[in-house]
Amino acid sequence: MKYRKFDLKKDKEAVFRILNECGWVHDKKKDKYLNKFLPAANTLVIDVNGEAEVMANSSIGTIRYQDEKLKLSAITGLTASLIARKQGFAGRLTAIRLALDAEKGAEVGALCIFDQGYYNKLGFGNGNYEQIVCITPATLNINRKTKIPVRLTEKDYKKIHKNRVERMPAHCAVTLPEYATQAELGEENKNMGFGYFDEKGNLTHHLWLYGKGKEQGPLWVSWMAYQNLDQLMDLLAFLKSFEEQFLMIKMIEPSFINMQDFIERPYLMRGMTQKSEHQNKISSSAYWQLRILNLQKCMKKTHLNCEDFSFNLQLSDPIGKYIPEDIKWKGIAGDYVISLGKNSSTKKGKQKDLPALKASVNAFTRMWFGIMPASSLVYSDGIEAPQDLLKKLDKAFLLPEAHVDWGF
Ligand SMILES: CC(C)(COP(=O)(O)OP(=O)(O)OC[C@H]1O[C@@H](n2cnc3c(N)ncnc32)[C@H](O)[C@@H]1OP(=O)(O)O)[C@@H](O)C(=O)NCCC(=O)NCCS
């Protein structure tokens, strides 16, 4: 199985066919994902009978760990054509993309899943639940006058991207490169943006909506960017101002708030709209996953509110078997001594008299990001450690809620 770099000129027909067969791309000439995103996004392909039939790509961005920023490899696309499935090509190409990015300095990997289990084989573990909010804007309880925003279009992509990069940062917040924002703006006839500028002409807060042209909605909030919660209230007040016309707005719950706090009679609305096209509800799903790619660098950027303690870590990593000989990085399995506290660190090897934690990289990443406590991972992910160590780990990783706050 040979992989190579994607070449837009040479591979356009073949990669269009892959993307078209999986239903993602319909317009070979104009599609932004094919023509703009793929050439920028470290795209790799695998040939079958001389033509590209499998494609995987990544975008190098950042992911926050509390106040620190880590270098991220986000898998921003993976598809196999209908003749190249179930051959192991797609999984191996994803592993190769991650390995190459890890060699170039990526510290963490992230992706969104089509289902649970597939990427676990590459060392990924579930992220936090995200709340998917479906509401009628008339039920928004926001007591402020709507400020008139400015319309944003594709031409404003640089300002839009800058505002996203500078948004109020949640633990785990992801930022991808400018080309990703540009591609995510989508087609003009289905998307629209609105934002607010300060006196100096900087875009301070904005939102991007999908669903233009539908009289009563639904409108999907693709994203919101705000630098403080007061600005978030402006954006919610703006959405409320649609209440006389639109029956449904859908969004991923914004970081730092519970949307239910801003909804009038949420249970009454849920009951009254049950089984309707405009059903009001808040549902949850853990649709993104993470894994550590560089343990030393991740530990170095870990600052915890706990007393200093150390333990031996016996870490397993399933990714190695998917990576070919020519790539040196084969995952991070091994024995480590981990020291946690205000300043954390790790070194290779074992130290006598220290308690031991046995974990997969999948589970260790989940614990480290504060997604699930160590004591729960014993049952969900099979980690093993003495009770005393589990208790210390549970306390050490009491971190803010993790939200990637970026679609990819
Ligand atoms: C996702 C996709 C790339 C997978 O392609 P594929 O050719 O089936 O993948 P691979 O050959 O690498 O892996 C197949 C193996 O994964 C296993 N698998 C698939 N889904 C799984 C899951 N949820 N949990 C565990 N294993 C899973 C299969 O059973 C198969 O196992 P086997 O090798 O033991 O038979 C392909 O279905 C596709 O292009 N889908 C459309 C686009 C898409 O959804 N992309 C992913 C975006 S996140």
Side-chain angles (χ1 to χ4, degrees), residues 6 8 12 15-16 19 24-41 43 57 76 153-157 160 178-192 208 223:
F6 164 76
L8 183 64
K12 188 165 175 174
V15 171
F16 171 71
L19 294 168
W24 282 359
V25 170
H26 308 283
D27 186 334
K28 193 172 15 182
K29 270 194 186 151
K30 288 191 192 151
D31 187 81
K32 282 188 196 137
Y33 185 72
L34 174 63
N35 294 294
K36 297 252 171 72
F37 188 89
L38 292 189
T43 304
N57 62 64
T76 39
T153 68
E154 209 178 325
K155 286 190 197 125
D156 301 305
Y157 77 90
I160 291 172
E178 194 176 80
Y179 67 76
T181 294
Q182 215 178 344
E184 286 163 43
L185 294 175
E187 296 161 45
E188 203 186 334
N189 60 346
K190 291 189 184 141
N191 295 273
M192 51 193 169
W208 195 254
W223 64 79

Side-chain angles (χ1 to χ4, degrees), residues 173-367:
V174 162
T175 294
L176 295 187
E178 194 176 80
Y179 67 76
T181 294
Q182 215 178 344
E184 286 163 43
L185 294 175
E187 296 161 45
E188 203 186 334
N189 60 346
K190 291 189 184 141
N191 295 273
M192 51 193 169
F194 303 92
Y196 297 94
F197 286 83
D198 65 15
E199 320 78 62
K200 290 181 189 150
N202 297 311
L203 182 61
T204 53
H205 46 310
H206 79 276
L207 51 77
W208 195 254
L209 297 172
Y210 172 82
K212 183 173 163 182
K214 286 191 185 163
E215 197 178 348
Q216 295 187 317
L219 288 174
W220 252 107
V221 180
S222 303
W223 64 79
M224 294 196 227
Y226 45 91
Q227 292 159 342
N228 55 54
L229 294 181
D230 198 63
Q231 293 174 350
L232 171 59
M233 296 303 120
D234 284 347
L235 297 175
L236 293 178
F238 175 60
L239 289 175
K240 183 171 172 62
S241 75
F242 302 170
E243 66 188 349
E244 269 71 36
Q245 181 185 353
F246 289 91
L247 292 179
M248 179 54 45
I249 292 182
K250 299 183 179 186
M251 68 178 88
I252 305 297
E253 184 170 78
S255 304
F256 306 103
I257 63 163
N258 276 358
M259 271 308 288
Q260 193 175 318
D261 291 342
F262 297 92
I263 301 171
E264 292 274 15
R265 311 288 296 269
Y267 292 178
L268 178 70
M269 282 307 289
R270 190 180 60 189
M272 284 176 65
T273 57
Q274 207 173 12
K275 295 189 182 156
S276 115
E277 195 187 332
H278 307 292
Q279 163 120 49
N280 281 234
K281 62 179 180 190
I282 302 178
S283 50
S284 311
S285 177
Y287 58 79
W288 48 268
Q289 294 190 331
L290 299 158
R291 60 152 293 153
I292 294 174
L293 296 173
N294 185 320
L295 189 64
Q296 277 85 354
K297 293 228 173 106
C298 287
M299 290 305 117
K300 214 173 162 195
K301 291 182 184 170
T302 302
H303 310 289
L304 300 171
N305 270 329
C306 65
E307 280 182 18
D308 293 354
F309 68 102
S310 300
F311 59 94
N312 288 318
L313 171 65
Q314 195 185 327
L315 191 68
S316 59
D317 186 347
I319 202 170
K321 59 178 172 286
Y322 299 98
I323 298 171
E325 275 303 303
D326 59 307
I327 300 174
K328 245 174 105 191
W329 188 93
K330 294 267 185 317
I332 59 169
D335 291 325
Y336 301 89
V337 179
I338 306 273
S339 299
L340 298 179
K342 286 260 171 315
N343 294 305
S344 307
S345 63
T346 183
K347 58 181 186 206
K348 284 216 156 160
K350 283 184 194 171
Q351 196 175 307
K352 254 191 185 169
D353 306 327
L354 284 181
L357 168 68
K358 198 172 161 191
S360 63
V361 63
N362 319 49
F364 190 82
T365 304
R366 300 184 76 200
M367 177 186 77

Side-chain angles (χ1 to χ4, degrees), residues 41-56:
N42 312 314
T43 304
L44 297 176
V45 295
I46 291 175
D47 293 325
V48 177
N49 299 328
E51 286 184 297
E53 298 285 357
V54 186
M55 176 287 293

